[in-house]
Amino acid sequence: MYKLVLIALILSFTSCVKQSNNVNVTLNIILNKPVDKQIYISGNQAFLGNWSPQSISLKKIDSLHWTFTSEVPKNTLLEYKFTLGDWKFQAADIHGVPLENSETLCSESDTSITISIENWTSGDQPKYQGQITGKVEYINNFHVDGLIDRNIIIWLPPSYSKDQNKRYPVLYMHDGQNTIDPKTSSFGVDWQVDETVTQLIDKNKLQEIIIVASYCTENRNDDYGDTEIGKLYRKSLAIDLKNRIDTKYRTKSQKQYTAIAGSSMGGLVSFMSAWEYPNVYKGAICMSPAFKYEDFDYINSIKSDKKKELLLYIDNGGKGVDVILQPGVEKMEKELLKKGYKLNDDLYVVYDKKAKHSEGDWALRFPYAIQLFFQK
């Protein structure tokens, strides 16, 4: 009788224990030589600072050993770098060349990884490559009630200052700091949309267009997400910013001359913008879009919607974060086909298994995407 009661108590206790959906990840850092500054981790999650170079500190064990530990949802892909508080001083190889992003997939069990850092970038040389090609103008501290003020960069086509009677289509973009100017890009590599568009125009393959790229803010996740703030952000682009651009610049303001583009969460918000304002946008370029990520699934939100008159370009890579995003991209493709979209007609889907989740790889796919919308 005693044994039966004991067994019952054990089974009862076990059934009441909530199974954790989280695991612990520990990163152990070994330095080649001591540093006299604080070391930080910067990465693709909020607890990694959302790529801020000086938000999340590592714990110092001794002069050569540092550590970082966090509880992480299972099956989360972490992408991260280490800095000394500024992107000018980031982890590098023995020659001072910046290391590529580290990646860790936190699966079903606790993870502990040891990482060696041989050197740091010196900060003496610019970390960026390239330059702005063509003429740009800025709207600084663009204000919309309820949103954080942000800068807007506007790229003007070659003939804009020469032909005062000509009007131009407009491409709106997110993460504007990463699109045109490598000096403001988060990792020193921009989308190079200015170089790409200039080359295509010179080859007579693309109409001359105006590019309007809105910088992100510290509120990026809410701005680009399926949130109330996100709805306000999308409205601010489609109405407030568009009205200002159409008033100040010689644009072709009609839907057939207006598109929107972005990557990652910027790819998600590009889709949502076009889907919610199909009378404003011809369509959207969605690169490595975060349609479905961890517990978030935007595809379920549009299942009851009918087909919209839009041109949609969706792509994804095959490495790093894009591996996690792939199921959502495939699910969105199936959903759009159910609604009546046709591949290579009003829906274009591209998979590049060799590509990473990076500005450099998006830049390589951008020429094909932009020509779908504004081919000459």
Side-chain angles (χ1 to χ4, degrees):
M1 180 66 178
Y2 173 77
K3 289 183 178 180
L4 290 176
V5 172
L6 180 60
I7 292 172
L9 287 172
I10 292 173
L11 290 175
S12 175
F13 174 78
T14 302
S15 65
C16 291
V17 174
K18 184 179 180 180
Q19 297 298 315
S20 174
N21 290 320
N22 296 331
V23 294
N24 290 315
V25 60
T26 300
L27 306 177
N28 300 303
I29 312 304
I30 302 178
L31 303 182
N32 186 41
K33 56 185 177 182
V35 294
D36 58 0
K37 296 182 179 180
Q38 174 66 46
I39 299 178
Y40 298 85
I41 187 171
S42 175
N44 65 333
Q45 304 287 335
F47 63 86
L48 296 177
N50 283 328
W51 294 114
S52 168
Q54 57 177 357
S55 293
I56 310 300
S57 303
L58 270 64
K59 180 181 179 181
K60 184 176 181 179
I61 305 301
D62 58 42
S63 62
L64 294 179
H65 298 84
W66 298 67
T67 188
F68 170 82
T69 300
S70 181
E71 192 175 55
V72 180
K74 292 179 179 178
N75 299 314
T76 298
L77 180 66
L78 306 183
E79 190 174 7
Y80 51 92
K81 283 192 170 188
F82 301 96
T83 80
L84 298 179
D86 191 304
W87 286 118
K88 294 179 181 178
F89 308 102
Q90 58 181 287
D93 64 17
I94 194 67
H95 303 293
V97 177
L99 300 178
E100 292 189 358
N101 294 357
S102 297
E103 293 177 356
T104 298
L105 179 61
C106 305
S107 54
E108 296 295 323
S109 58
D110 292 348
T111 302
S112 181
I113 295 175
T114 299
I115 300 171
S116 296
I117 298 178
E118 296 180 299
N119 205 348
W120 302 88
T121 54
S122 67
D124 295 332
Q125 298 295 325
K127 70 180 182 67
Y128 56 86
Q129 300 176 6
Q131 67 290 309
I132 295 176
T133 298
K135 181 181 179 182
V136 296
E137 295 182 357
Y138 295 88
I139 299 174
N140 293 318
N141 301 315
F142 180 69
H143 177 78
V144 172
D145 289 344
L147 298 176
I148 296 176
D149 292 357
R150 69 198 67 224
N151 294 337
I152 313 291
I153 184 170
I154 301 103
W155 183 87
L156 299 174
S159 72
Y160 190 84
S161 60
K162 301 173 184 177
D163 189 346
Q164 299 299 317
N165 296 315
K166 188 172 182 179
R167 291 186 170 272
Y168 303 85
V170 181
L171 174 68
Y172 289 87
M173 299 189 72
H174 312 280
D175 292 310
Q177 73 282 353
N178 295 335
T179 57
I180 294 171
D181 187 353
K183 291 183 181 179
T184 61
S185 180
S186 299
F187 311 111
V189 179
D190 64 326
W191 275 50
Q192 301 176 356
V193 296
D194 46 340
E195 286 90 350
T196 296
V197 169
T198 298
Q199 291 171 7
L200 291 173
I201 290 172
D202 289 344
K203 293 178 181 179
N204 206 34
K205 293 183 177 181
L206 190 75
Q207 301 175 54
E208 289 192 272
I209 65 173
I210 294 173
I211 301 168
V212 179
S214 173
Y215 284 35
C216 75
T217 71
E218 61 195 58
N219 232 11
R220 183 177 186 269
N221 286 351
D222 284 335
D223 287 345
Y224 293 4
D226 191 18
T227 64
E228 290 302 314
I229 290 178
K231 290 179 182 178
L232 180 58
Y233 172 71
R234 297 189 291 277
K235 181 181 178 181
S236 76
L237 294 181
I239 298 176
D240 300 284
L241 181 58
K242 187 175 187 302
N243 286 343
R244 184 158 177 178
I245 295 299
D246 289 340
T247 299
K248 184 175 181 180
Y249 297 95
R250 300 192 309 276
T251 67
K252 293 182 176 180
S253 60
Q254 300 94 326
K255 162 190 168 125
Q256 63 266 35
Y257 303 113
T258 308
I260 192 164
S263 61
S264 194
M265 287 197 71
L268 167 66
V269 71
S270 294
F271 184 95
M272 290 192 290
S273 295
W275 197 256
E276 293 172 10
Y277 295 92
N279 295 326
V280 172
Y281 302 105
K282 175 180 182 178
I285 295 173
C286 312
M287 293 186 163
S288 302
F291 292 139
K292 184 176 183 297
Y293 188 71
E294 297 177 0
D295 295 330
F296 173 75
D297 189 340
Y298 178 71
I299 303 98
N300 291 336
S301 300
I302 66 165
K303 280 192 172 182
S304 61
D305 294 345
K306 294 182 179 179
K307 180 184 178 184
K308 309 288 180 76
E309 186 182 344
L310 294 168
L311 174 62
L312 298 170
Y313 169 89
I314 300 171
D315 70 21
N316 199 40
K319 296 182 178 181
V321 175
D322 282 8
V323 174
I324 303 298
L325 300 179
Q326 182 66 20
V329 174
E330 293 176 356
K331 184 177 179 181
M332 177 62 83
E333 178 184 355
K334 292 179 182 178
E335 181 61 32
L336 293 173
L337 292 174
K338 286 180 183 179
K339 294 184 185 301
Y341 286 91
K342 297 181 180 179
L343 287 175
N344 302 320
D345 181 10
D346 52 5
L347 173 62
Y348 290 80
V349 182
V350 173
Y351 296 116
D352 184 353
K353 297 302 180 183
K354 297 180 180 179
K356 297 182 295 184
H357 194 83
S358 69
E359 279 72 19
D361 286 293
W362 296 321
L364 293 176
R365 301 199 291 269
F366 184 73
Y368 175 72
I370 192 62
Q371 287 181 82
L372 293 174
F373 288 81
F374 301 118
Q375 187 173 17
K376 193 167 184 179

